Every structure is written in structure tokens, then in C-alpha cells.
Amino acid sequence: MQITTPDKAEIASINGVALNTVDETLSADDLRQRACSELLRQAASAQGLLSDRDMPTTDGVLSEEASSAIEALLEQSLAIPEPSEEACRRHHAANQAVYSTGERVNVRHILFAVTQGVDVVALRNRAETTLLDVRCHDGSNVEDGFSKAARTLSNCPSGAEGGSLGWLTTADCAPEFAKELFGHAEVGVLPRLVHSRFGLHVVEVLAREPGQEQSFDSVRGAVAMALRQKTYVTALRQYLSLLAGEAAIVGVDLDASDSPLVQ
């Protein structure tokens, strides 16, 4: 992989195909996502799955033809074996909380919303500072540190109630938010920011009600699907790494973190 650092006015590219315009500012994650999409688009074209007439768009959005070609490319390029029953049973035994039903958590949060034009670095700094502050409160005062921070800082209407979201089930939450709350034993302020489509959350779990564990036979299909997805993500990362190793890359570091494309 040949990686070149661009001059200030230079744009990022994959094999000479621009990923952005000179006057366009992208986050590192958005730039990596465009780079991975373009790597796959070019690979599909090289395999004869996509017409040479298909051209990348200036906004990084793939054409319908390119999306279909990439799907066909991945289907023929990624070997995804079926998980064995032994592997499924081990996964179920190690993650029984994930496959329980009826779990509830009593939660409050402070939302730092990511909106268009917001300074994400400054927003994260404010969120991390707030997380550190509220982890120090002991909850002994009527107006504790968490409630006060929620009332003054949260971009969620729940801020008026001290950040309270009440008792939640998985059906009440966005999947990425639920993943951080359910299937865990943590009670108290979570020691990490929770990321969701809405922004960054400082979260406190006030109480938990455990769910009813499900037998392996009743969730066999869900377990197998989860293992297939893990295998698929690993195979896709390896394939993208292979494509990147053969590409001329300017202005984007694909090794910096996982691309949103494969999360």
C-alpha cells in the first residue's frame, strides 16, 4: 500500500480517484468510509461486475449499480463458513444475558448532540469532562451532580427531569444504545461515553431487572446469525486490507481505526 500525505490544498484519493473536494471538510471516519467504498467499487469494476462507465460521485454516495456490484463482489470473494453447533453452544453459554428477554434498566443520561456544523472535537471534550465530573458524585444530595449537569448541558428534553429516561427495554432504544445498556451487570455511571446516532451520551444505570434466560434451542437461529456476522466482519476487514495493500492511497489512513463500513 502506497500512502501519500497530501499538501494542505490537495484532496484525498484512491488510485487517483478523488474522495473529496478542495473545499469539503470530512471527518476521519467519513473519509475512511469513502475510501473503503471506493476500494470496493474499483475492485468490482476490475472483476467485470461493474461497467467502466460507472463513475464515483462527488458526495461519496454509490450508484445503485455500484452497490449491487459490490454485493456480488463480496458474495464471491468472502468465504463465510457456517458456525458449528459446538461454537454456537459455546457462544450462547458465554452470552446468556444477551439472549435473555424482558431485561429492564432504569437509566438517566446527558446527551451531547452531534448536529450539522458542530465542532465534534470540542463536543467530545465537553462530554468527556462532564463524564469525569459526574462520576465523582455520590447521589446523596437532592440536586446531585448528574441531575444538575443534565439540566444545564443535555440536548435531550429529559434534561428538564435530570436526564431521567425511566425504565427501558431493548425495544425502547436505538440498537447501538441498547448494546451498551443491556446484557451487562454495570450499575452506576458508565465509565465510557456511549455513542449513538443522536450523539454522545453520559449514562447512569440506576437499577437493573434481569431478564429471563432463553434455552439454546429457542435462540439457536439468532446465535448462528450472530456468529456468521462476526465472521463476515472479520473477512471483510481482511479483504479491505488486501485491496488497500495494492492501492495508491493519498490523504487517508485506513489503518487508523475500523471503518464504519465494517462496524
Side-chain angles (χ1 to χ4, degrees):
M1 172 171 55
Q2 178 185 347
I3 300 178
T4 304
T5 302
D7 296 331
K8 185 175 182 180
E10 196 173 359
I11 59 178
S13 64
I14 299 291
N15 293 325
V17 175
L19 301 176
N20 62 312
T21 59
V22 174
D23 58 353
E24 183 180 22
T25 301
L26 296 175
S27 70
D29 280 345
D30 286 343
L31 193 57
R32 280 191 287 271
Q33 184 168 9
R34 286 195 186 182
C36 289
S37 295
E38 180 57 23
L39 279 170
L40 292 171
R41 193 193 69 81
Q42 292 182 22
S45 180
Q47 292 294 321
L49 299 170
L50 181 64
S51 169
D52 292 339
R53 294 189 299 273
D54 184 89
M55 301 300 293
T57 57
T58 56
D59 59 4
V61 178
L62 294 169
S63 67
E64 184 176 346
E65 292 77 13
S67 296
S68 297
I70 288 173
E71 184 178 346
L73 172 74
L74 295 179
E75 185 174 350
Q76 73 178 32
S77 301
L78 304 184
I80 312 298
E82 283 296 312
S84 67
E85 175 149 337
E86 180 184 359
C88 288
R89 288 186 178 277
R90 284 200 307 268
H91 179 79
H92 175 258
N95 298 275
Q96 288 190 6
V98 175
Y99 297 102
S100 64
T101 59
E103 182 183 3
R104 299 201 308 159
V105 292
N106 189 357
V107 174
R108 58 181 179 174
H109 79 145
I110 304 166
L111 171 63
F112 295 85
V114 175
T115 55
Q116 187 171 7
V118 72
D119 184 334
V120 177
V121 174
L123 186 74
R124 175 181 288 277
N125 288 339
R126 289 198 299 274
E128 289 179 341
T129 299
T130 302
L131 174 60
L132 183 61
D133 288 343
V134 300
R135 290 191 72 192
C136 297
H137 83 79
D138 58 11
S140 60
N141 299 323
V142 174
E143 180 71 350
D144 61 48
F146 197 105
S147 292
K148 184 176 181 180
R151 293 179 192 278
T152 57
L153 299 174
S154 184
N155 299 129
C156 177
S158 66
E161 305 298 327
S164 176
L165 295 175
W167 285 95
L168 303 176
T169 66
T170 55
D172 299 320
C173 308
E176 66 275 15
F177 193 71
K179 182 179 178 180
E180 295 292 332
L181 294 183
F182 296 92
H184 304 287
E186 295 168 306
V187 174
V189 179
L190 301 186
R192 60 193 176 277
L193 294 175
V194 174
H195 298 241
S196 82
R197 66 196 66 183
F198 305 107
L200 305 172
H201 307 254
V202 176
V203 176
E204 181 174 20
V205 177
L206 299 172
R208 291 184 180 274
E209 289 184 355
Q212 179 68 41
E213 291 183 0
Q214 301 296 297
S215 68
F216 172 73
D217 287 338
S218 67
V219 295
R220 181 192 302 265
V223 173
M225 184 179 298
L227 289 183
R228 281 195 296 269
Q229 179 61 21
K230 289 177 64 175
T231 302
Y232 178 86
V233 168
T234 298
L236 179 53
R237 285 176 176 154
Q238 292 172 343
Y239 186 58
L240 283 168
S241 179
L242 176 65
L243 294 178
E246 299 171 345
I249 300 175
V250 174
V252 54
D253 184 0
L254 295 180
D255 295 327
S257 68
D258 291 334
S259 165
L261 188 68
V262 294
Q263 288 179 351

